[in-house]
Amino acid sequence: MPSSPENKGFGQGDPALARWAEEVFRPEDAVLREIRERSVREGLPAIAVGRFDGLHLEVIARAIGALKAVEIGTLGGYSGVCLLRGMGVHGVLHTFEYSEKHARVASDSFHKAGVGARAHVHVGVALQMLPEVEAEAPFDLVFIDADKVSYPAYLTWAAEHLREGGVVLADNAFGFGQVHLPGGDENRAGLRKFNEELARGGRFRATMLPTAEGLAMGVKIR
Ligand SMILES: C[S@@+](CC[C@H](N)C(=O)[O-])C[C@H]1O[C@@H](n2cnc3c(N)ncnc32)[C@H](O)[C@@H]1O
């Protein structure tokens, strides 16, 4: 399966329009830029969410008044900082990452961003580690951004552990531009199943935010 471009596009394909939007909305400040750059310097893959995707996460977390959130796929902490910014001073994030190196870089990021006390990094395979936080359910928000083959299982976990009215978000829902094509590998199949279940499984009212990567969003209704 192909992967994300390092410089993710935004908007309807016109680079001048995307530059204008970035100039007006300023989605990435110096703290986030430092995290993106340090993560790459430390040897992490350049697969953090795009600048506007980070802003979407912050604004959505703010809009729903999220106080307890789960992130699956931490990398260097970029999206986690965005979520924590949206959750205000009382918000807590549990974020799951199987690479110890990524988790270390993320912990530095959370501390540098001033949100270290509210970020709990769980190191290990997410599906095995998620039970560690189930006693704190129901959560307000779950952000899925790890191995694509497990997206359907992550969605099932979110449906069981979000409050009604809570939000699930998932990056890369367009499957790197290929989710709609027949065939493909287990990752594409996982993303296709995830989208179908989110859209039509009956637990969420869902939509697709048409970012470059596809940011799927569902509100839990039952
Ligand atoms: C796309 S990156 C996450 C990017 C991050 N959300 C951001 O925007 O800053 C995916 C991360 O998930 C981690 N990962 C992949 N599969 C995992 C699994 N099964 N359990 C835990 N972490 C996993 C990878 O090591 C990688 O750091």
Side-chain angles (χ1 to χ4, degrees):
M1 177 167 246
S3 62
S4 310
E6 286 196 24
N7 199 2
K8 297 178 182 179
F10 179 74
Q12 36 71 299
D14 178 349
L17 185 62
R19 273 196 303 280
W20 170 85
E22 294 220 356
E23 190 54 40
V24 173
F25 287 87
R26 303 276 167 100
E28 183 172 84
D29 65 3
V31 172
L32 291 173
R33 189 166 56 252
E34 190 276 336
I35 294 172
R36 188 183 294 285
E37 292 172 355
R38 175 168 41 81
S39 297
V40 171
R41 266 201 319 279
E42 296 261 6
L44 274 53
I47 53 173
V49 293
R51 290 186 279 275
F52 262 103
D53 301 316
L55 184 56
H56 295 328
L57 295 178
E58 178 190 327
V59 170
I60 291 167
R62 245 176 229 282
I64 66 164
L67 287 173
K68 287 192 287 180
V70 167
E71 174 183 63
I72 305 171
T74 315
L75 192 69
Y78 188 99
S79 54
V81 167
C82 296
L83 287 166
L84 279 160
R85 284 177 168 181
M87 290 196 287
V89 293
H90 299 298
V92 170
L93 177 72
H94 290 283
T95 182
F96 292 83
E97 172 57 59
Y98 67 20
S99 157
E100 286 186 15
K101 178 176 172 181
H102 296 188
R104 180 181 49 73
V105 173
S107 295
D108 288 349
S109 300
F110 292 130
H111 287 287
K112 281 176 188 256
V115 295
R118 299 187 287 115
H120 304 286
V121 184
H122 301 258
V123 184
V125 175
L127 283 174
Q128 292 169 14
M129 307 290 288
L130 282 164
E132 284 188 358
V133 300
E134 287 174 1
E136 291 180 42
F139 293 96
D140 302 305
L141 188 152
V142 173
F143 174 48
I144 302 170
D145 193 18
D147 53 319
K148 310 311 164 199
V149 70
S150 302
Y151 269 39
Y154 297 144
L155 183 65
T156 300
W157 190 89
E160 292 304 312
H161 297 95
L162 278 169
R163 64 168 164 85
E164 261 188 45
V167 165
V168 65
L169 292 156
D171 198 22
N172 311 118
F174 284 155
F176 312 103
Q178 298 190 344
V179 73
H180 61 304
L181 300 177
D185 63 10
E186 58 180 9
N187 297 303
R188 197 192 301 172
L191 284 170
R192 201 178 295 130
K193 185 172 175 200
F194 165 85
N195 280 299
E196 288 166 1
E197 191 62 33
L198 179 69
R200 300 205 297 263
R203 305 290 304 271
F204 294 93
R205 181 67 175 147
T207 188
M208 179 74 85
L209 303 183
T211 61
E213 300 280 329
L215 185 62
M217 174 173 175
V219 178
K220 180 173 162 178
I221 54 171
R222 68 177 68 88

